[in-house]
Amino acid sequence: MRIALLGGTGDIGGGLALRWAYDTNHDVIVGSRDAGKAETKTEEYRTELESRGVDADITGHDNRDAAAAASVVVLAIPPYHVGDTVEEIADVLDDGDVLVSPATGMKRDDDGFHYHKPGAGSVTRIVADAAPEDVAVVGAFHNLAAARLSNLDADLGIDTLVIADDEDAKRTVTDLAEGIEGLRALDAGGIANAPEIEALTPLLINVAQHNEGLHDLGVRFS
């Protein structure tokens, strides 16, 4: 399968790109608003993978070209850009493609990080409202620690919650998530449940900042 990481030069996008390239045989496409930046970052990823004996199929392109080449497109971009980005790539998406949203709205004050709930109810809902009719939207990978994800020496041992109104798309993303060693995907229902999941991210950041040894905090449900 071809997976595009729009914003694949950033923390979460880069971590997912490395993990999928390292742990699976999927074709990984790193996207950025700047194709040159995507290509440069891809060279860094490829060098890291080659140092571990992995000759991965990982390439870099601008966001539109990356989305056009993939069947699963992960929007690893800031929440305030998701709507515009979906509109930008809508005409290159094919029927049956899947959009994945890991973004969470947050704000920060002197007390810490707080969930910033958008007017639509969740960032995942913003993506669903902007997506073409025949393109399914899945929320996943919201609560992952970027440094832990991108460190290929780190054992993950954590969960990601997956939400979607399209069960086939949910299964596709669940399978992709569980292709990453040490990551377990749990079904959390439909997109209506996105606010509760997105709100976990600022909580985890606050806990990580206030407790020694928990800077790469993740969640495991049992």
Side-chain angles (χ1 to χ4, degrees):
M1 184 175 292
R2 289 184 174 180
I3 311 167
L5 286 304
L6 308 193
T9 60
D11 293 339
I12 291 296
L16 288 170
L18 279 169
R19 289 282 179 171
W20 272 319
Y22 187 65
D23 288 335
T24 78
N25 292 320
H26 298 302
D27 296 343
V28 177
I29 306 166
V30 174
S32 172
R33 286 177 293 178
D34 181 342
K37 183 178 180 180
E39 292 166 2
T40 298
K41 202 67 176 178
T42 299
E43 283 300 319
E44 294 179 18
Y45 299 156
R46 191 177 292 115
T47 298
E48 168 70 10
L49 293 162
E50 287 176 352
S51 74
R52 297 169 180 273
V54 176
D55 183 16
D57 192 341
I58 181 169
T59 57
H61 303 276
D62 67 42
N63 281 337
R64 277 180 59 83
D65 286 347
S71 55
V72 174
V73 179
V74 181
L75 300 166
I77 56 179
Y80 42 84
H81 287 317
V82 294
D84 291 343
T85 300
V86 174
E87 292 178 5
E88 177 188 345
I89 64 171
D91 64 321
V92 301
L93 298 174
D94 295 325
D95 293 353
D97 284 352
V98 178
L99 283 174
V100 183
S101 175
T104 292
M106 290 187 289
K107 56 185 178 181
R108 186 180 188 182
D109 60 23
D110 292 341
D111 295 316
F113 287 86
H114 309 281
Y115 182 47
H116 184 56
K117 186 176 181 178
S122 68
V123 179
T124 311
R125 175 56 65 191
I126 292 174
V127 175
D129 289 346
E133 184 176 349
D134 294 320
V135 173
V137 171
V138 178
F141 312 118
H142 298 94
N143 314 129
L144 305 182
R148 185 173 179 176
L149 186 66
S150 60
N151 179 3
L152 296 178
D153 291 322
D155 295 327
L156 290 180
I158 54 177
D159 296 333
T160 185
L161 300 173
V162 183
I163 48 174
D165 296 333
D166 184 305
E167 293 300 321
D168 289 338
K170 186 188 291 183
R171 267 191 300 274
T172 295
V173 175
T174 295
D175 290 345
L176 288 176
E178 295 199 331
I180 295 174
E181 186 174 349
L183 185 62
R184 182 177 65 165
L186 296 177
D187 189 339
I191 289 175
N193 296 336
E196 288 73 24
I197 295 167
E198 294 177 11
L200 281 176
T201 300
L203 170 64
L204 294 176
I205 294 173
N206 291 331
V207 173
Q209 289 186 336
H210 288 283
N211 293 273
E212 187 175 352
L214 293 181
H215 60 282
D216 288 336
L217 182 64
V219 173
R220 184 75 175 181
F221 294 90
S222 62

